[in-house]
Amino acid sequence: MDTAKKINIRGLWFLPIAKENISALIKELLSNDKCSVIYTPNAEIAYDAAKNDELCSLLNRADILLPDGEGIILASKILKKRIREKIAGVEFGEAIAQVSAQTGHTMYILGGRPGIARTAADNLMNKYPGLKIVGTHDGYFQKDGDENDGVIKAINDCHPDVLFVCFGAPMQEKWTDVNKIYLNSIKIIACLGGSTDVYAGVEKRAPRIMISMKIEWLYRLIKHPDRIKRMTKLPKYIFATFLYRFGIGGSK
């Protein structure tokens, strides 16, 4: 993995990788002795990180940041540091599952409402024959203290090679940043937000035509109009990036 190719988009260091190279990247990470942490920020998180140095530093402590959102891609174009394409977290997770099924590496899914991770695991194993998901746990537990220690032990007892952490941002990144040193055997930790709901069939992604038109965000908004306040961060991020591009406001 050539980390020298990382691109700084308003303080966040993204790896600009094409979808066609994702499988090779995953195989490389699985062959390493170290644990690699991957976060997939979208424009909402990037907007918050541009205003919050602590959050920005937290995200940059990951080994890899993948751009999950057309807002990140547009911002990169505005800054003339073009990132080729977005890598949706849900697609990245499926790529990990597919590669793991081929290589014999095992997985653990952490997050979602009670029962969701288990259903997601069953669906992924049915979709990718040979995949071994050795354990699951919902995201409804105290993220520190004895209950958290019990979850860490449950994960370690299963000896997974891959861990999906799906609490939603930035909780999942904060949890990973604190607890990664206590996790044994794991080669990849991927924070994937609500991907478990998609894998479990509780949520659906946008139709392919909307994804190809780069308006997946609109589909989410139509399905969940209560997200409107969060969605306003996308145009704010783009507008702030224009100002930043011309040296008006903001240090990043």
Side-chain angles (χ1 to χ4, degrees):
M1 177 179 61
D2 188 357
T3 56
K5 293 182 178 179
K6 288 183 179 181
I7 293 177
N8 188 322
I9 305 297
R10 300 194 60 205
L12 294 179
W13 289 89
F14 288 95
L15 183 66
I17 186 170
K19 289 182 181 179
E20 62 200 46
N21 297 324
I22 287 294
S23 292
L25 171 65
I26 294 166
K27 289 176 182 177
E28 181 182 347
L29 297 178
L30 288 172
S31 68
N32 290 339
D33 292 330
K34 69 181 288 287
C35 174
S36 296
V37 173
I38 298 97
Y39 301 151
T40 59
N42 58 18
E44 293 174 29
I45 302 304
Y47 175 77
D48 290 340
K51 299 171 63 178
N52 185 321
D53 289 342
E54 184 177 346
L55 177 59
C56 187
S57 295
L58 167 69
L59 295 173
N60 281 329
R61 285 197 290 274
D63 296 279
I64 297 173
L65 294 182
L66 297 176
D68 184 357
E70 294 299 338
I72 304 294
I73 306 306
L74 180 54
S76 75
K77 293 177 181 178
I78 293 169
L79 298 175
K80 299 188 181 300
K81 300 179 179 181
R82 183 170 180 175
I83 296 176
R84 179 173 171 180
E85 58 187 330
K86 85 168 187 177
I87 306 294
V90 65
E91 293 178 2
F92 183 66
E94 287 225 30
I96 293 176
Q98 185 173 31
V99 170
S100 296
Q102 297 167 354
T103 60
H105 289 90
T106 59
M107 293 172 44
Y108 192 108
I109 300 178
L110 176 64
R113 299 187 301 279
I116 292 295
R118 183 67 264 165
T119 302
D122 291 340
N123 288 349
L124 286 171
M125 287 189 290
N126 286 333
K127 186 172 183 178
Y128 302 106
L131 176 63
K132 296 177 182 179
I133 298 181
V134 293
T136 65
H137 196 289
D138 63 69
Y140 287 72
F141 63 93
Q142 287 296 120
K143 303 303 188 290
D144 55 17
D146 292 343
E147 194 171 0
N148 188 69
D149 292 344
V151 171
I152 295 292
K153 183 179 185 303
I155 296 170
N156 286 334
D157 285 348
C158 293
H159 305 288
D161 299 301
V162 175
L163 174 65
F164 287 178
V165 182
C166 305
F167 304 150
M171 183 187 296
Q172 61 192 7
E173 289 83 6
K174 290 179 178 178
W175 184 90
T176 298
D177 193 57
V178 170
N179 292 284
K180 61 187 177 184
I181 61 173
Y182 305 115
L183 294 164
N184 305 326
S185 79
I186 295 175
K187 297 178 181 295
I188 295 176
I189 301 176
C191 290
L192 302 175
S195 295
T196 45
D197 287 341
V198 178
Y199 302 149
V202 175
E203 290 284 349
K204 292 184 178 180
R205 289 194 70 192
R208 289 186 179 275
I209 188 170
M210 295 187 77
I211 294 174
S212 66
M213 292 173 65
K214 308 184 189 304
I215 54 172
E216 189 170 7
W217 59 270
L218 179 59
Y219 177 82
R220 292 199 195 102
L221 182 58
I222 293 170
K223 289 202 67 177
H224 300 284
D226 57 309
R227 292 171 59 104
I228 184 66
K229 186 174 181 179
R230 289 173 53 188
M231 286 290 191
T232 60
K233 292 181 181 180
L234 173 57
K236 287 178 180 178
Y237 178 66
I238 298 305
F239 180 67
T241 300
F242 268 113
L243 296 181
Y244 173 78
R245 168 73 176 83
F246 296 103
I248 307 171
S251 58
K252 64 174 182 291

